Amino acid sequence: MTIANTLGALSVMAGALLAAQSAQAQDNTFINPDWANSAWYIGAGVGQSRANIDEPRLRASLAANGETVTGFAKDQRDTGYKLFVGKQLNQYMAVEAGYFDLGKFDFQSTTSGNGVLNGQVGFRGVNLDLLGQLPLSQRLSLLGRVGMHYTQTNTEFSGNRLLGSSDMRARDRKLNAKLGLGLEYKFSEALALRGEVERYRVNDAVGNRGDADLYSVSLVYKLGRPASATPAYQPAPAVALPPISETMPAPVAEVKPAPVSEKVSFAAEALFDFDQSTLKPQGKAALDQLLGQLQGMDLEVIVTVGHTDAVGPDAYNQKLSLRRAEAVKAYLVTQGVESNRVYTEGKGETQPVADNTSAAGRAKNRRVTVEVVGTRKVAR
């Protein structure tokens, strides 16, 4: 497989995955919390495999035995599949182990004197790879892999010309290297589609050495995704009180502190990288500081609202603002805030606080506000 063929295959995969992205009818909440960058995952793939049958060497072997090759045909394609399990090390790296079967490949040759030599070779084994992931957008990533595979090769011959050997079946096991390139499109944080081209260095059981390629499409599922649904806010039901007896003194109502509301606005650049919804370490530190200020308060409701500037399409800005609000909620929940007390909204570019025609104004409009409603505990 040449570099041009590899790039051509990747271009076709990129076009298919981008088409799937544009055709997606409903946008899934995609906030990419920390779990997604350290999760275990499983997957399965299927596709077309190709192997190089060493025709010149086979012709030379027959000629060395006094044969003249009069016909040679080969089938170098089959269906291959793979099963794998992996561990995400961080946003950019993962380690992956799997089982694969590249299928079987045949050749048929005829020689002078009514000679016939037929052969079939199959490859299957296990692999261990280091997988690199380069994000091209929130959902699309470029993949590159390097690893080793331990492959069992089964070779069978038939006919009346056996290259001077009486062994019609041979088996061998070898450890070799493998490489791969591909693309991954995330339908959600848990489910992704991969298109890959992988090259396996292989040996057959009679000393020939070559390459086998697998062009595959795989589904990948990450395990352990936490629930992120936000329940609808409902007021507490009214409770009927019994009538007060005329002979009993009326109870003295306990004076409770009035609810208070505190609102904090964070610049988006302080919490997130450009055009991203993954909290930066300094963003987490800012939210930790806010939580520290809420010590001593009985929380009732927290509302996180994302805002953007007017640069870019309205629909994209709306989704980005909601993802950022969801990311803030996800972090607050990891710090002990009850999930059913946190509500999220995305306002996109609809509520500017400054002029979007200047860089300074746009920076002010890119923000996330956190409003906290609760009561301060009264010291006794």
Side-chain angles (χ1 to χ4, degrees):
M1 181 179 61
T2 65
I3 295 178
N5 289 337
T6 301
L7 294 177
L10 290 176
S11 298
V12 172
M13 293 174 189
L17 293 177
L18 289 173
Q21 181 177 12
S22 62
Q24 188 174 3
Q26 180 178 6
D27 182 69
N28 297 307
T29 300
F30 193 86
I31 57 175
N32 194 23
D34 292 341
W35 78 267
N37 295 328
S38 59
W40 286 90
Y41 62 86
I42 57 175
V46 64
Q48 185 178 85
S49 55
R50 296 181 181 180
N52 296 324
I53 294 177
D54 194 350
E55 179 181 347
R57 179 166 179 166
L58 290 167
R59 285 179 174 270
S61 298
L62 289 167
N65 285 276
E67 305 291 339
T68 300
V69 177
T70 58
F72 197 96
K74 53 188 176 181
D75 181 2
Q76 301 184 117
R77 299 184 181 185
D78 201 359
T79 299
Y81 68 88
K82 60 179 181 177
L83 304 171
F84 53 90
V85 60
K87 177 68 167 69
Q88 200 73 37
L89 303 179
N90 52 49
Q91 184 180 3
Y92 305 102
M93 301 292 291
V95 62
E96 195 172 288
Y99 169 83
F100 62 88
D101 189 330
L102 301 180
K104 296 181 179 180
F105 311 94
D106 308 296
F107 73 89
Q108 302 85 35
S109 62
T110 57
T111 67
S112 56
N114 296 321
V116 176
L117 174 64
N118 301 322
Q120 183 181 79
V121 59
F123 305 102
R124 61 183 178 180
V126 294
N127 65 281
L128 181 64
D129 299 343
L130 184 64
L131 183 69
Q133 299 160 303
L134 178 63
L136 302 178
S137 69
Q138 191 83 26
R139 296 181 182 273
L140 189 63
S141 298
L142 178 66
L143 304 179
R145 67 171 67 235
V146 60
M148 303 296 293
H149 65 98
Y150 185 69
T151 300
Q152 175 178 296
T153 304
N154 295 308
T155 305
E156 298 181 2
F157 294 103
S158 61
N160 54 17
R161 297 292 188 270
L162 298 181
L163 304 180
S165 171
S166 60
D167 189 359
M168 301 180 66
R169 290 183 175 85
R171 177 179 297 177
D172 196 11
R173 296 180 178 89
K174 292 289 185 181
L175 181 67
N176 277 306
K178 67 181 294 253
L179 299 169
L181 289 174
L183 291 165
E184 179 179 86
Y185 176 76
K186 297 179 178 65
F187 294 110
S188 69
E189 291 171 322
L191 183 64
L193 177 71
R194 288 181 185 173
E196 291 187 273
V197 180
E198 296 170 273
R199 166 156 290 184
Y200 297 76
R201 192 66 169 164
V202 293
N203 299 74
D204 65 20
V206 292
N208 298 327
R209 184 176 176 86
D211 299 309
D213 301 321
L214 177 62
Y215 301 79
S216 66
V217 176
S218 306
L219 282 176
V220 184
Y221 184 74
K222 287 187 176 178
L223 306 173
R225 181 179 184 178
S228 59
T230 302
Y233 176 72
Q234 296 181 350
V239 179
L241 298 176
I244 299 175
S245 172
E246 295 181 356
T247 61
M248 295 291 293
V252 179
E254 181 182 356
V255 179
K256 296 183 178 180
V260 296
S261 175
E262 299 182 9
K263 191 172 184 179
V264 180
S265 181
F266 297 95
E269 287 80 357
L271 301 180
F272 307 98
D273 286 325
F274 176 73
D275 198 32
Q276 298 294 313
S277 58
T278 302
L279 279 169
K280 298 191 297 186
Q282 51 267 48
K284 295 178 181 179
L287 293 176
D288 288 340
Q289 184 177 2
L290 171 63
L291 290 173
Q293 296 171 358
L294 301 180
Q295 295 296 322
M297 176 182 284
D298 289 329
L299 294 177
E300 294 182 7
V301 174
I302 297 179
V303 180
T304 67
V305 183
H307 303 268
T308 69
D309 59 26
V311 178
D314 295 350
Y316 179 82
N317 286 337
Q318 168 63 28
K319 294 173 184 177
L320 177 62
S321 66
L322 180 59
R323 290 199 303 268
R324 287 179 166 177
E326 289 280 359
V328 172
K329 173 185 175 176
Y331 183 71
L332 295 178
V333 171
T334 65
Q335 300 306 301
V337 180
E338 296 179 17
S339 176
N340 60 359
R341 295 188 182 275
V342 186
Y343 302 88
T344 59
E345 294 183 58
K347 297 295 186 181
E349 59 189 68
T350 62
Q351 295 183 354
V353 295
D355 190 347
N356 274 304
T357 60
S358 67
R362 290 192 295 272
K364 291 180 180 179
N365 291 331
R366 296 190 296 267
R367 67 197 190 280
V368 175
T369 62
V370 181
E371 183 173 3
V372 181
V373 178
T375 54
R376 291 287 183 185
K377 295 179 181 178
V378 179
R380 295 181 180 273

